[in-house]
Amino acid sequence: MSESQAPQVQKTSLLRSSSIVSVMTLLSRVLGLARDVIVAQYFGARADAFFVAFKIPNFFRRLFAEGAFSVAFVPVLTEYRSQRSLDEVRLLVSRVSGMLGMVLLAVTCAAMLGADYLPWIFSPGFRSDPEKFALTGDLLAITFPYLFFISLTAFASSVLNAYGRFAIPAFTPVILNVTLIAATLFFTDHFVEPLYALAWGVFFAGLFQMLFQLPFVARQRLLVMPTVKRGDEGVQRIGTLMVPALFGVSVSQINLLLDTLLASFLEDGSVSWLYYSDRLNNLPLGVFAIAIGVVILPALSGKHADKDAAAFSRTLDWAVRMVFLIATPAALALVLLAMPLMATIFYYGEVTAYDVGKMMLSLQAYAVGLLAFMMIKVMAPGYYARQDTKTPVRIGIQAMAVNMLLNIALVYPLQHAGLALATSLAAYFNLFMLYRGLRKAGVYEPQPGWLRFLVILVLANAALSAVAVWLMGSPEAWLEWQATARISWMSLIVGAGILVYFTVLILAGLRLRHIRGELF
């Protein structure tokens, strides 16, 4: 194979891996959406206590496991895999899992013992409703062990991702959604407080996900007994990288948690409105951006280990273009179709028309930042693959400060939607700083053809927007339709929008080879 052909094969491999992860993640996200619809039908906006009890361990999961830990562990494991023996890799996995498990166990036990006090920190606004405040603490005592189970699941996922086994980690969240759906449908009647069924569903979902991945780790000959040894070189390197990454990779999660805290002081139902709109906004984020980020982190780590700066830059540029290709139409669709989407998905059972209107506002505010949320997922690996976690932490702290200032400025006039908009605007600040840092470091150089690519995107998105607005009609009218009519017409709009978008892309000159990485 000639030198000129090598990058093409590499990009095709990345595209294939990203597609596999996206398909598996799509399955999980669709089931997650079904889960949220069912929970909304059963509880409406009354599930605030559960959402806080679920969000807190989820926040720590993203902070420790999928966030800081994975971006510190995968580059080091990739280096060990390429430069050391299998026995040394197994020893690293053993010692890292032992140290991680010990820390997680301590944090989980401390949180369970202090569960009654955590709502004072994360949802202080609930104090005006003593019953809801106490219920939140009780639910937290049940849900917090999820952190232990799911963090070890994320550890196993990192091992599999480092070895190019992306499908199983991407499929694993399906178990969470299936378990919570089953808990809602079949076990709520067995509890005096039905929300306890959801809390126990979270507990067992974490356990099931961890057990599911172990056989696949064993196939890689990396299912080893955890051990603890202080002073291990690999563990120390991961710990050194992980500490600053706790902030750098999880800024958006911290911002969302701050939104929950402030929302607890607002109108009853605000936490639920933000949760449902954030979940819908996260559908394209999880299916595409996170999938691309997961795939390119080990690829970029390998390029850095091989000292191939040109390939590193090309890989990052490919990821950025893929995000633009998906994020721009997704964001436009969420903004334009916010009311019909919320009515189609959530306007059932306990959800009122008033709830739908409030969800619409926060969905539009979150959608404004969708491009930034997705871009951060592919820009950040440009730092972590080079084992630079200090620069993102500086940027992350600045972005948190911007977010808090915007929260204060926007929460009074816009209420819960102001919190969502502040998070979106702060994400653009975060993105700009990450991009500027990569350019200044000389590790990312946009490839030729960007101007033509952007012109094509503008044309395709303009056509998509016109079709969506034309077919949507009056947004408020959707609240008067029957469920079957809403679902059928929304399916038509989505199908027509996708068809028009990709038709214009093709007519304007975009080809599959460009998506694979070939330049215009």
Side-chain angles (χ1 to χ4, degrees), residues 184-496:
T184 305
L185 294 178
F186 303 117
F187 294 99
T188 50
D189 293 339
H190 296 276
F191 295 89
V192 176
E193 170 51 67
L195 288 174
Y196 280 109
L198 286 178
W200 282 111
V202 170
F203 178 95
F204 284 105
L207 176 62
F208 295 157
Q209 288 178 91
M210 182 186 71
L211 296 177
F212 173 72
Q213 289 206 350
L214 295 183
F216 299 97
V217 176
R219 289 184 185 180
Q220 302 299 130
R221 300 168 61 190
L222 292 174
L223 186 60
V224 293
M225 184 65 67
T227 58
V228 177
K229 181 183 178 182
R230 295 182 179 179
D232 180 81
E233 179 226 348
V235 174
Q236 286 184 334
R237 285 177 59 195
I238 292 168
T240 301
L241 294 170
M242 185 175 173
V243 171
L246 284 171
F247 288 95
V249 79
S250 303
V251 169
S252 63
Q253 298 306 318
I254 295 172
N255 288 340
L256 289 173
L257 199 63
L258 292 173
D259 290 351
T260 302
L261 185 151
L262 293 173
S264 70
F265 290 98
L266 301 178
E267 181 181 0
D268 193 39
S270 295
V271 172
S272 296
W273 299 329
L274 284 171
Y275 173 83
Y276 291 128
S277 54
D278 177 56
R279 288 287 298 170
L280 189 54
N281 188 63
N282 264 287
L283 184 60
L285 176 66
V287 172
F288 299 106
I290 294 177
I292 294 172
V294 165
V295 169
I296 66 167
L297 179 57
L300 291 173
S301 300
K303 304 291 187 298
H304 179 68
D306 295 338
K307 298 184 177 3
D308 192 344
F312 188 102
S313 180
R314 288 196 301 271
T315 300
L316 195 55
D317 188 74
W318 170 83
V320 170
R321 294 196 193 207
M322 290 304 98
V323 167
F324 265 91
L325 192 66
I326 300 299
T328 50
L332 279 172
L334 290 176
V335 170
L336 295 174
L337 302 173
M339 174 67 86
L341 280 169
M342 283 302 185
T344 301
I345 297 171
F346 292 111
Y347 191 35
Y348 309 97
E350 295 293 319
V351 177
T352 66
Y354 183 75
D355 292 325
V356 171
K358 292 294 188 178
M359 293 178 196
M360 175 199 73
L361 295 175
S362 48
L363 174 60
Q364 289 176 324
Y366 277 134
V368 167
L370 181 61
L371 176 61
F373 296 141
M374 294 179 73
M375 286 289 291
I376 289 169
K377 295 298 181 183
V378 300
M379 284 289 182
Y383 292 89
Y384 303 129
R386 297 182 294 118
Q387 301 183 25
D388 173 12
T389 55
K390 292 182 179 179
T391 302
V393 73
R394 289 196 297 267
I395 296 173
I397 292 173
Q398 294 168 10
M400 286 177 59
V402 170
N403 185 69
M404 284 306 298
L405 291 173
L406 290 171
N407 275 336
I408 295 170
L410 298 176
V411 68
Y412 177 73
L414 300 177
Q415 295 292 296
H416 74 292
L419 299 176
L421 183 59
T423 300
S424 294
L425 296 177
Y428 278 104
F429 173 82
N430 192 358
L431 169 61
F432 171 75
M433 298 298 289
L434 289 173
Y435 170 78
R436 190 178 74 166
L438 290 173
R439 291 300 307 274
K440 287 180 67 175
V443 298
Y444 174 49
E445 185 67 34
Q447 302 297 296
W450 261 101
L451 179 59
R452 182 180 175 187
F453 179 69
L454 291 175
V455 169
I456 291 174
L457 282 186
V458 169
L459 293 174
N461 280 296
L464 179 146
S465 300
V467 169
V469 171
W470 175 55
L471 292 176
M472 174 180 61
S474 171
E476 290 75 16
W478 287 68
L479 296 172
E480 302 172 2
W481 296 355
Q482 295 295 320
T484 52
R486 291 197 298 264
I487 294 171
S488 300
W489 200 249
M490 179 55 66
S491 300
L492 174 64
I493 294 175
V494 171

Side-chain angles (χ1 to χ4, degrees), residues 17 20-21 81 157-167 169 220 298:
S17 298
I20 292 171
V21 176
R81 181 192 175 193
S157 297
S158 296
V159 172
L160 294 172
N161 287 337
Y163 279 76
R165 304 294 185 264
F166 299 108
Q220 302 299 130

